[in-house]
Amino acid sequence: MAAPEVTHLPNLPNDVEGLRQSIRDAVVRVVGEDPRQATERDWMEALAFAIRERMVERRLLTRRQFADEDVKRVYYLSMEYLIGRMLEANLRNMGILEPARQAMADLGVNLDTILDLEDDAALGNGGLGRLAACILESLATQGYPGYGYGIRYEFGMFRQEFEPYHQVEHPDNWLRYGNPWEFPRSDRKYPIHFYGHVVEHHHPRGETRYTWENGEEVLAMAYDYPTAGYGRRNVNNLRLWAAKATRDFDLRYFNEGDYIRAVADKAESETISMVLYPNDATAIGKELRLKQEYFFVSASLQDILDRHLALGYNLDALPDKVAIQLNDTHPAIAVAELMRLLVDCHELSWDRAWDLARRTFAYTNHTLMPEALETWPVELMERVLPRHMGIIYQINHDFLEQVRHRYPGDNDRLARLSIIDEQNGRRVRMAHLAVVGSHRVNGVAALHTQLLQETLFEDFYNLWPERFVNVTNGVTPRLWMIQANPALTELLGQRIGNDWQYDLDRLRALEPYAHDADLQKAFLDVKRANKVRLANLVRERTGVELNPDVMFDVQIKRIHEYKRQLLKLLHVVDLYRRIRAGEDVAPRVVLFGGKAAPGYARAKGIIQVINEVADIVNHDPAVGDRLKCVFFPNYEVSSASIIIPAADVSEQISTAGFEASGTGNMKLALNGALTIGTLDGANIEIRDAVGEESIFIFGMTADEVVEHRRNGPNPEAILAQQPNLAAAVEMIESGFFTCDDPGTHGDLGRYLRHEDPFFVIADYAAYTEACERADTLYADRTAWAEAAILNVARMGYFSIDRTVRDYANQIWDIIPEPVAPSRTNGAA
Ligand code: GPV
């Protein structure tokens, strides 16, 4: 037993005076600068250090309590965490935002200026990565023992520039100034193996044993990011792994005297955690990607087992103390890796290990789109992870035995269910491995889960219906309301108090005031102020002037054909042509934001044509304020929090059946934007929640899309019947908007006329009609305010806190463990 003064945790003061002291000290002791000469960045760093020492204190308190209470923990395994800036969020969740603001002011520094200096942590592509970040925040806020594991990419999501119309990608060197939020843990390193071969050891009695030999080794080193809960003392941890060469990285070359080559190889081995693949909902068939996946999975599982054993539990208790959530199939190799660790390293029998693994894992699917489903060539898996390939064969063998027993003679079904796809040159289907290796599989919205059961996983659903559950996505109100929309937060506080910050359903208390004229006026004033805030940012970033009294119509998300940015663009071109023809159309600002995967030519073409159309429209004196079109460059979490509160209309117009859920739809509606949307993903549940009056639904349903495709779509025939649409397509393909490469717009015309894979043409008439319904309502300011207020009041269901409770109760079987103030560390 160590002496009390050794085990005592410091208890730093959180008042203005205490914070000021810490910050000033940190400028000298951590930054190494004279406070007289410190720059704004120096002060930012000092402030971050003052916060982080307070966070780690609570982190340790939290960890002590979890250990004392023998809690079950959940581990979230995700290749992506789209966190954004951390300074303001950490200040707020630690409960010291206002004292820190005052302390900084006392030191002569404006906090808001400092907040703007921080780079986003953009370790993710889009919805999937942002969902992971929201889930971690909610786990801490609700006091759940929940931890994230991922990769500490040296370079996150690329920075997008337009030169001048097409997208150019620039590296995101987010760690160039160092990172005050991370705790490098050089004592927490695990060896990770690749390549080599497997040796069998036959035992006369008992199972054959396997060793994996002569591979390459790299180390995974932990970097910890404390994650604070809002309004609680709980602080959880996000552990990100970075690749480091082993000390004796390559003895062979050293022995041969090729010192330079050996050092170069060291650098090469550290490339594993170098860069985030910038692909959203598209599988990447690269060896380096497979190595990234295995690298972070192996390190995380070794760490989880170490902790489990260090806490004194035995391996048989694994599913009672540990739940592991696989965020899509990116970490699905975990199923094989846990088997390897349990069987080869801890010498459990195969059957015992399999039972533990299955009861520990659960898998979230985020898409039905075939191009996103990860499959790895058997040959590649065999070379990179030879032992895992053997384990997968064994898992598949046992699984198919079960299927054969259940469906004797049904060879087609066996082929459909098999983890190995034998049709396409032998590939490992990672989704099948994840389903077979999990006790729960969930989709991310009601429609998506239903479609999973009926299509992609139909055979699995018939086999194990109890395994499938829905967990509709959500968003954190701390970032997406309190931080992003302080004006609306303030107004809500005046009207209904602040309980909704912890229990978003309480927004419903607003309903009775929806037709209160004072509230309506205040609500519209808040929206207008947010639009002015956005207009200032748009002017700064693009030079375009926006009139805040015109409807702001916003489509912000990754660029994908299925998300149908082209549908919105056709509407813009249609309106533009009609304005030029002297027609009176309702005015609007159309704002796009989002990145295209660098290798996705069609998506990049869509960005280019939008920029070209925008340039013509915005400079046409005949148009004035009646139409503006902006492509907001480098859309990221920090810009989303300015754009979203300023939106009047939210475009959620994916082809029905393709958007698993969407979460931007939730953020926008929560901030009072009315949705124009298809019956896709969570839009359906949003409609059910807010009511038909507060949403503009249009277009084919998922069933009708299937039917439409079956009937052989004929875009040309539709164009022949719709003169406005035909004129818009003709205007584009005529080259009217061509600023850069001639020819690209002709290609786009051909694409719409002859391919149109996501039925932009077929849904166009319904879409414009929905836009007109929105215009009509918008013109009636009272009616619009009422609908928008009701929209906010009814969005409580889409809190990430509800989502996390659903996971906790239906999948993880964990309960909250709020950290209590202790006697020795009891200050608030
Ligand atoms: I798979 N999603 C994503 O952002 N990246 C991916 O690689 C895959 C899915 C998204 C879906 O497209 C959204 O509909 C969903 O809301 C989001 O994941 C979170 O579930």
Side-chain angles (χ1 to χ4, degrees), residues 80 125-132 279-283 289 327-330 364-369 372-373 444-445 448 473 558 560 562-563 658-666 681 807:
E80 304 191 10
N125 275 285
L128 172 147
R130 183 55 233 176
L131 184 74
N279 302 69
D280 179 84
T282 312
R289 169 71 171 199
N327 195 23
D328 214 89
T329 57
H330 316 148
T364 305
N365 172 285
H366 295 266
T367 187
L368 298 157
M369 298 215 299
L373 300 178
V444 290
H448 171 60
N473 285 164
R558 287 298 290 249
H560 262 289
Y562 85 82
K563 293 178 189 280
F658 287 90
E659 190 69 270
S661 165
T663 47
N665 48 0
M666 301 169 189
Y807 278 104

Side-chain angles (χ1 to χ4, degrees), residues 164-239:
Y165 304 105
H166 65 280
Q167 169 179 290
V168 177
E169 301 91 20
H170 296 270
D172 163 49
N173 193 357
W174 72 297
L175 295 169
R176 67 193 176 287
Y177 300 112
N179 187 329
W181 303 116
E182 65 183 18
F183 289 82
R185 305 294 304 274
S186 33
D187 58 323
R188 281 276 161 202
K189 287 202 201 85
Y190 295 97
I192 313 294
H193 294 266
F194 300 100
Y195 313 110
H197 60 263
V198 177
V199 178
E200 288 190 31
H201 307 271
H202 294 282
H203 290 274
R205 301 168 305 282
E207 295 185 347
T208 304
R209 296 276 158 196
Y210 299 85
T211 51
W212 179 11
E213 296 176 5
N214 282 329
E216 289 178 11
E217 187 179 289
V218 61
L219 297 178
M221 177 177 148
Y223 286 76
D224 285 349
Y225 289 73
T227 311
Y230 180 67
R232 276 201 200 288
R233 298 162 61 84
N234 291 59
V235 174
N236 288 346
N237 192 34
L238 167 61
R239 178 160 282 184

